[in-house]
Amino acid sequence: MSPQLFAYLLEGLLTTLQLTVGAAVLGLVFSFAAGIATCSPNIVVRGVGRCYIELFRGISALVLLFWFVFALPYAGWQLEPMWAGILALALNIGAYGAEVVRGGIVAVPVAQIEAAVALNFTRSQRMRLVVLPQAIARMLPPFGNLLIELLKGTSVAYIVLIPDLTFAGQIVRNATGDSASVFTALLILYAVLAVIFTTIVRLVERRVAKSLGRQPTPGFFARIKGVKA
């Protein structure tokens, strides 16, 4: 592979990272907004949160991406393909993340909330100081899974000519004619990215567990060693 083609592949890798990180950050905003909304005592707020979840869980991210790129301009709005990709992926993954947020919140023991009520905490204080810190510790493992799904989902972006890793791989394959090597390299690169993201999430899990005064869950090999001992 020539240096020029290799550089093009690296540019695609950077674009994939931009798509993943951008959609993950925006998706987190949607997740927490909708997830907290579904736990609201206000029926209208709950309804809005539930409508968002059901709507965007049921829409294909690829179809949503097509709509932003090809249909939205007819309404007078033109999004750059990169921003359309980030928004489509964030709306889709945010709907799944909202259920993770809701599940983490309802899993907090009722006794903790009752104790906060006894201390005369306001509703926002209970959510911010008592519920969310404990809920986030429960959310992190499924959020890690969603992050990997998001990474893999960015590969649909090449269809609207976003020069991501898959798009770059197609260009390199067309230039070299070597499908086996190029797509094997893509497999390896996506796998390496997934391992990196998984490691980051696990480090955050350990940090959050320590901040709550909990013992971090040991890894598989550490547990096996403990059993043998």
Side-chain angles (χ1 to χ4, degrees):
M1 185 185 300
S2 69
Q4 183 179 2
L5 292 177
F6 183 73
Y8 195 80
L9 202 60
L10 287 180
E11 289 179 6
L13 178 62
L14 291 176
T15 301
T16 292
L17 287 173
Q18 290 173 356
L19 276 170
T20 304
V21 174
V25 172
L26 188 57
L28 272 179
V29 175
F30 292 146
S31 295
F32 275 92
I36 293 174
T38 57
C39 299
S40 171
N42 188 305
I43 189 172
V44 176
V45 175
R46 284 202 313 272
V48 171
R50 180 52 56 186
C51 285
Y52 164 76
I53 292 172
E54 298 303 330
L55 175 63
F56 288 101
R57 278 198 309 184
I59 296 177
S60 165
L62 179 58
V63 174
L64 189 60
L65 178 58
F66 280 161
W67 190 85
F68 280 134
V69 174
F70 300 118
L72 190 60
Y74 286 99
W77 294 83
Q78 181 70 56
L79 291 177
E80 291 291 332
M82 173 64 81
W83 289 109
I86 289 175
L87 183 57
L89 291 168
L91 286 169
N92 182 260
I93 207 69
Y96 290 96
E99 284 292 272
V100 173
V101 172
R102 185 190 66 81
I105 290 174
V106 300
V108 174
V110 177
Q112 298 280 343
I113 301 174
E114 291 175 344
V117 173
L119 292 172
N120 203 29
F121 282 14
T122 64
R123 188 184 302 277
S124 62
Q125 287 176 323
R126 294 198 297 269
M127 180 64 71
R128 180 169 51 89
L129 301 176
V130 178
V131 176
L132 281 182
Q134 297 180 70
I136 287 173
R138 295 178 170 88
M139 296 175 198
L140 284 173
F143 269 150
N145 293 334
L146 289 178
L147 181 60
I148 302 305
E149 289 299 320
L150 175 60
L151 169 65
K152 295 185 291 185
T154 59
S155 60
V156 305
Y158 87 96
I159 298 178
V160 293
L161 304 181
I162 297 176
D164 71 323
L165 185 57
T166 303
F167 184 89
Q170 293 278 13
I171 296 298
V172 174
R173 191 278 306 268
N174 292 338
T176 62
D178 188 358
S179 298
S181 297
V182 170
F183 288 118
T184 299
L186 290 184
L187 286 175
I188 294 172
L189 287 172
Y190 276 110
V192 169
L193 288 177
V195 170
I196 292 172
F197 284 136
T198 300
T199 302
I200 292 172
V201 172
R202 286 178 178 171
L203 290 174
V204 174
E205 285 181 44
R206 295 177 67 85
R207 177 65 65 86
V208 171
K210 288 181 179 180
S211 69
L212 293 174
R214 300 174 182 173
Q215 184 67 26
T217 303
F220 173 77
F221 292 106
R223 293 198 298 269
I224 293 297
K225 183 178 179 181
V227 169
K228 289 181 178 180

